Amino acid sequence: MLTATKGGKINISVEKDTKSVAEKFSRLIKHGDFILLSGNLGVGKTTFIKYLINSLQKINKQKISEVTSPTFTVINEYKIKKILIKHYDLYRIKNKKELNNLGIQENLKDQITLVEWPEIIKKIKIKNSINLIFEYKKNYTERYLSIISENKKFLNEFK
């Protein structure tokens, strides 16, 4: 697997940088992409997803909607013209049985799948997966994003 950017990390300490990266990312993803977002609480995963979805809405001339974490509902769905986005938050999922009940691996080619807290599914091999790893540095005052994917063309956009 390859990691985007020299040094492998994109500084997203300032929210406008998170928005900028999410907007660029939104222009590159497509149906069938399975995006895994890992990182500590409060590091920016849901904020990134909000800007990603809002960017797709803007590109498709749709009303900007509120994007919230599906921590308690486990899944939020967004329909943006012909794009179906499923946003999962697996923080409260404790075992494979609960995971299987979500149908997270169904119809993957027909949607874009975003998964926060993907640790419970890490062993599942999924085509077109993109790993976004969010992390804190310097006593939580800086945040960084690493993008890991087998898609070289995708990664080149973030160099």
Side-chain angles (χ1 to χ4, degrees), residues 86 88 98-108 111:
K86 290 191 177 181
Y88 293 89
E98 288 180 41
L99 182 65
N100 290 339
N101 289 338
L102 294 175
I104 200 166
Q105 295 182 65
E106 296 173 7
N107 304 316
L108 293 178
Q111 65 197 27

Side-chain angles (χ1 to χ4, degrees), residues 23-61:
E23 288 172 344
K24 185 173 190 175
F25 195 83
S26 75
R27 293 187 295 272
L28 298 170
I29 59 174
K30 60 190 181 321
H31 280 94
D33 283 341
F34 197 90
I35 302 156
L36 306 165
L37 298 94
S38 302
N40 291 335
L41 283 170
V43 76
K45 299 179 298 290
T46 303
T47 300
F48 182 90
I49 289 171
K50 173 184 79 170
Y51 288 128
L52 170 76
I53 290 171
N54 288 165
S55 177
L56 288 169
Q57 290 168 329
K58 186 177 177 181
I59 289 166
N60 287 282
K61 297 176 177 39

Side-chain angles (χ1 to χ4, degrees), residues 25-129:
F25 195 83
S26 75
R27 293 187 295 272
L28 298 170
I29 59 174
K30 60 190 181 321
H31 280 94
D33 283 341
F34 197 90
I35 302 156
L36 306 165
L37 298 94
S38 302
N40 291 335
L41 283 170
V43 76
K45 299 179 298 290
T46 303
T47 300
F48 182 90
I49 289 171
K50 173 184 79 170
Y51 288 128
L52 170 76
I53 290 171
N54 288 165
S55 177
L56 288 169
Q57 290 168 329
K58 186 177 177 181
I59 289 166
N60 287 282
K61 297 176 177 39
Q62 281 192 236
K63 181 181 172 188
I64 302 301
S65 64
E66 183 177 356
V67 176
T68 60
S69 174
T71 301
F72 296 103
T73 58
V74 183
I75 181 173
N76 288 340
E77 289 188 10
Y78 302 89
K79 184 76 172 161
I80 305 169
K81 293 211 174 177
K82 294 183 180 183
I83 305 167
L84 175 62
I85 299 173
K86 290 191 177 181
H87 174 198
Y88 293 89
D89 184 324
L90 304 181
Y91 185 75
R92 296 173 359 122
I93 301 301
K94 301 299 178 210
N95 57 54
K96 299 277 185 189
K97 183 178 179 183
E98 288 180 41
L99 182 65
N100 290 339
N101 289 338
L102 294 175
I104 200 166
Q105 295 182 65
E106 296 173 7
N107 304 316
L108 293 178
K109 65 179 175 37
D110 299 327
Q111 65 197 27
I112 295 169
T113 307
L114 307 169
V115 180
E116 293 187 61
W117 302 98
E119 291 73 15
I120 195 165
I121 61 171
K122 284 288 188 182
K123 293 181 181 175
I124 299 172
K125 180 64 177 161
I126 299 170
K127 288 183 180 181
N128 301 323
S129 67

Side-chain angles (χ1 to χ4, degrees), residues 1-4 129-131 147-152 154-155:
M1 292 201 168
L2 304 169
T3 304
S129 67
I130 302 164
N131 289 282
I147 303 172
I148 302 171
S149 174
E150 293 179 358
N151 184 334
K152 291 179 187 179
F154 181 90
L155 293 177

